[in-house]
Amino acid sequence: SLLILYFCFMYGIRWLILLFTTSLCAQTPYFINYTDKDGLPTNELYSVIQTKKGAIWIGSDAGLIHYDGLNFKLYHNSIAKNKSVTNLFEDEDGDIWCTNFSDQLLLLKDDSLHIIESWESIREEGNVLYEINFSDTPGVLIIQTGKHTFKINKAENYKIRFEYQAQNILYTPEGDMYSYSSSKGLVRTKNKEDFPIPVPELFFRTDFDKKNNTIRYPRGHIRSTKIGLYLWLSEQFPSQKNFLVQNLWGQPLGQTSIIPYIFSIKKNRAHAIYFPPELSQYKNNLNIAHLTSTSDSVFYLSTNIGLFKWDLSSNEVNTYFPGQFISQATIDREGNIWATSLDKGLYFIPPHIA
């Protein structure tokens, strides 16, 4: 592709260094680190995706960044309430969506970043945006918030309507819908019939509203990856005497048990996946910011203490950038890893090293 030709031209010498350094030390992956010294508008990055055309898009505290293999270009909306953007998403038409830290919904169209005005009144009701995704209808997208799920229709001038009293909705190519809510828990819906999926109570958290009423929130995320459907928590909890954890059948786990917080979802069952010692040793000091996978049973965990490559078949774990907050990693079409960090800029790892 054109992107690869750019890299070969611009970084030929670095590839020679790569061959030399990897032969000396296979445990230390070669990588390229792009920072503000290389033209990156900022070093504080939150998310990264590759589009169907091969371009790299990055969410940052300065705005939306486009990288074509040679140059970085910054997009921002001058009247937006916040410059910082994240939750990048490419729809079926190739349009780029994102959100900012004021929970505004933005769309890149005609080389300009626009605010979706139809969302503004919903945002002002206290709906915290955290994800944009495909729905079961072409041209209609799912908007996930901390309270509800909405649908936005591009063909109807971005009309928005309330969809579900659920914080997380995911549609699969097989025609299933998975919903994750405080009231019903995790549910698989097929042909309008609901199939509850038991998950431990640690996948929910309890809070209080302004009137001191108890509120229950889902604390996990449903993700569709190349190797299946997964439910995962954004933090790990140590076993404590005052912390009741149950397995899938409601039976208490022992106080010395390792608490799993990634579950494989298959049909109407959730199957626990326990961390290997290289990950479980961090206990509640490990916070997962993002989870992605490859087609060969490998997870990439972006965390507050580095990027972890976890091979589910061998249970082997490799650590990249230890001690750094990696906000998101994505694998492009050529197998390269692109990883964003909160203060060190953008990382690039070639496929035969990753």
Side-chain angles (χ1 to χ4, degrees):
S1 69
L2 183 60
L3 184 60
I4 292 301
L5 291 177
Y6 283 151
F7 280 120
C8 291
F9 176 74
M10 294 296 293
Y11 298 103
I13 295 178
R14 292 190 181 186
W15 291 112
L16 293 176
I17 297 174
L18 164 64
L19 297 175
F20 178 72
T21 54
T22 52
S23 64
L24 289 178
C25 185
Q27 296 300 316
T28 304
Y30 174 83
F31 60 87
I32 299 173
N33 184 200
Y34 300 97
T35 67
D36 52 2
K37 296 179 180 179
D38 303 297
L40 188 65
T42 175
N43 291 334
E44 186 172 331
L45 311 179
Y46 309 129
S47 51
V48 57
I49 63 171
Q50 184 189 41
T51 64
K52 292 186 286 288
K53 294 183 178 179
I56 297 297
W57 290 88
I58 305 160
S60 77
D61 66 332
L64 181 64
I65 302 171
H66 174 249
Y67 183 52
D68 62 5
L70 284 176
N71 302 302
F72 295 97
K73 182 177 180 180
L74 178 65
Y75 296 83
H76 63 85
N77 186 292
S78 59
I79 62 172
K81 296 182 179 297
N82 196 297
K83 288 184 178 180
S84 301
V85 300
T86 186
N87 297 323
L88 273 56
F89 178 78
E90 181 189 18
D91 66 22
E92 55 199 355
D93 299 321
D95 293 332
I96 305 298
W97 297 74
C98 58
T99 69
N100 65 18
F101 286 5
S102 294
D103 298 306
Q104 290 181 295
L105 183 62
L106 300 106
L107 172 65
L108 185 73
K109 202 168 185 64
D110 299 325
D111 206 42
S112 182
L113 199 58
H114 302 269
I115 296 173
I116 301 298
E117 295 295 340
S118 57
W119 176 255
E120 288 297 284
S121 60
I122 301 174
R123 176 187 66 84
E124 292 170 357
E125 295 174 357
N127 287 283
V128 178
L129 271 169
Y130 72 85
E131 189 174 36
I132 308 163
N133 213 331
F134 292 108
S135 75
D136 56 343
T137 306
V140 178
L141 300 178
I142 286 288
I143 303 175
Q144 316 273 9
T145 78
K147 294 181 178 181
H148 313 295
T149 296
F150 299 86
K151 282 187 175 180
I152 181 168
N153 193 324
K154 295 180 66 177
E156 297 181 1
N157 198 26
Y158 306 105
K159 182 180 180 180
I160 297 175
R161 64 181 176 87
F162 174 82
E163 185 66 13
Y164 297 104
Q165 189 81 26
Q167 290 85 347
N168 206 179
I169 298 288
L170 184 68
Y171 292 94
T172 69
E174 296 75 26
D176 297 339
M177 184 190 79
Y178 289 84
S179 60
Y180 184 33
S181 67
S182 56
S183 58
K184 294 184 177 181
L186 181 62
V187 177
R188 169 178 169 257
T189 302
K190 182 76 170 182
N191 297 325
K192 297 184 178 181
E193 184 178 359
D194 290 343
F195 302 92
I197 302 174
V199 293
E201 186 61 28
L202 84 162
F203 275 85
F204 301 89
R205 67 180 175 88
T206 300
D207 205 343
F208 301 93
D209 62 15
K210 295 180 180 180
K211 297 181 180 180
N212 211 32
N213 297 316
T214 301
I215 307 175
R216 188 167 175 258
Y217 290 108
R219 71 191 325 154
H221 307 270
I222 311 173
R223 285 290 183 273
S224 178
T225 72
K226 293 180 180 179
I227 56 177
L229 190 66
Y230 292 88
L231 177 66
W232 58 280
L233 287 177
S234 59
E235 55 186 326
Q236 182 177 4
F237 300 91
S239 292
Q240 298 175 354
K241 292 182 179 179
N242 61 350
F243 187 72
L244 176 62
V245 180
Q246 299 177 336
N247 65 13
L248 299 179
W249 302 274
Q251 301 165 335
L253 293 172
Q255 296 299 331
T256 58
S257 298
I258 299 173
I259 300 174
Y261 71 120
I262 294 182
F263 284 76
S264 171
I265 310 299
K266 296 180 179 179
K267 296 296 182 180
N268 302 331
R269 292 290 302 275
H271 305 268
I273 302 177
Y274 289 89
F275 272 178
E278 293 88 345
L279 293 173
S280 62
Q281 65 175 327
Y282 297 108
K283 298 183 178 178
N284 61 329
N285 295 317
L286 181 67
N287 189 297
I288 297 180
H290 188 266
L291 180 149
T292 190
S293 68
T294 63
S295 56
D296 52 357
S297 300
V298 174
F299 273 143
Y300 287 90
L301 307 180
S302 303
T303 79
N304 60 317
I305 53 176
L307 176 65
F308 296 94
K309 177 185 177 182
W310 177 17
D311 190 324
L312 298 182
S313 58
S314 65
N315 228 20
E316 180 181 351
V317 176
N318 293 327
T319 306
Y320 304 149
F321 320 122
Q324 297 187 33
F325 199 123
I326 304 299
S327 49
Q328 185 173 344
T330 191
I331 296 91
D332 68 19
R333 296 179 303 188
E334 287 78 27
N336 306 297
I337 295 178
W338 299 85
T340 52
S341 70
L342 288 191
D343 61 357
K344 303 294 183 182
L346 178 67
Y347 290 104
F348 170 84
I349 308 176
H352 55 292
I353 302 301

